[in-house]
Amino acid sequence: MQIHIFKDAAQIGEAAAQLFAAKLLQKPDCVLGLATGSTPLPTYDALVALHRRGLADFSRVRSFNLDEYVGIDRAHEQSYYRFMYDNLFSLVNIKPENVQVPHPVSEDLGADCDAYEAAIDAAGGIDLQILGIGNNGHIAFNEPCEVFPLRTHIVHLTESTILANQRFFNSADEVPRQAMTMGIGTILRAREILLIATGAGKAAAVAAMVNGNADPRCPASALHLHSHVTVFLDAGAALIL
Ligand code: F6R
């Protein structure tokens, strides 16, 4: 795990976008793993700026998002599908047929999960995966638990995640209780991983991830099991390392 500490979130956004742009140059038909939430926004903004300057061509890129709520429509302003269109997909030249966001809507949600996992495999696997981290150490919606989940699955959100995400809804009651998420195994199969954490609110989760051994009670600690992980932190997130 290679850790880099930056002054602030804007600097991280620039550095992360450059890492993505380099991947697009190395492998124009690469498969990106994408995240939602506040953390990747400066990265997406910087990537859009690079695209406008002709430095990031998404025309052959395919992407898979980490997760999506169960029970809200794709048109809902808090759906992760909508988030991705508003903040990245509609602002670069990625083809709509090349983007995948989990879509847990069928009668058999387990089948939706299996199909998502199969689609990632059929695309040849993820080349570069971006991750944020939850206050409780979650990555994607893999919440603290006893065994690392291997594959894409349906998860019940913990109280701390519901409380953390209520800022995007009118109240905690409106936050969906379930989500479809890549598993820890799915994430670890990515060839390269970039985890970003910003703000002092993430400092405890970051310290648990960096200082502990791989332990499903801190899902992000699974990244110790991967050989190519980069961590970008701002001063706040690195506070208690
Ligand atoms: C989002 C995701 C989550 C977030 C995490 C941090 O797709 O998978 O794990 O990365 O909850 O969220 P923010 O960035 O809003 O602090």
Side-chain angles (χ1 to χ4, degrees), residues 29-110:
D29 61 347
C30 65
V31 179
L32 299 179
L34 299 174
T36 59
S38 310
T39 307
L41 283 175
T43 302
Y44 296 156
D45 288 348
L47 254 181
V48 169
L50 288 178
H51 169 71
R52 290 188 175 142
R53 287 167 52 207
L55 297 172
D57 175 16
F58 287 80
S59 59
R60 294 170 62 200
V61 168
R62 287 160 297 162
S63 73
F64 289 88
N65 261 78
L66 286 169
D67 42 18
E68 177 61 285
Y69 291 119
V70 172
I72 61 175
D73 193 79
R74 283 190 151 179
H76 189 290
E77 58 179 10
Q78 293 308 332
S79 82
Y80 287 176
Y81 179 84
R82 171 95 178 261
F83 175 100
M84 290 310 301
Y85 268 90
D86 290 351
N87 293 295
L88 185 66
F89 297 156
S90 66
L91 306 173
V92 297
N93 62 335
I94 198 163
K95 295 197 174 102
E97 64 270 28
N98 286 348
V99 307
Q100 298 231 34
V101 178
H103 197 204
V105 286
S106 75
E107 288 283 295
D108 181 356
L109 295 180

Side-chain angles (χ1 to χ4, degrees), residues 35-40 66-67 80 131-134 138-141 165 167-168 202:
T36 59
S38 310
T39 307
L66 286 169
D67 42 18
Y80 287 176
L131 298 174
I133 182 171
H138 75 210
I139 48 174
F141 271 133
N165 288 4
R167 69 191 194 277
F168 300 115
K202 298 289 172 68

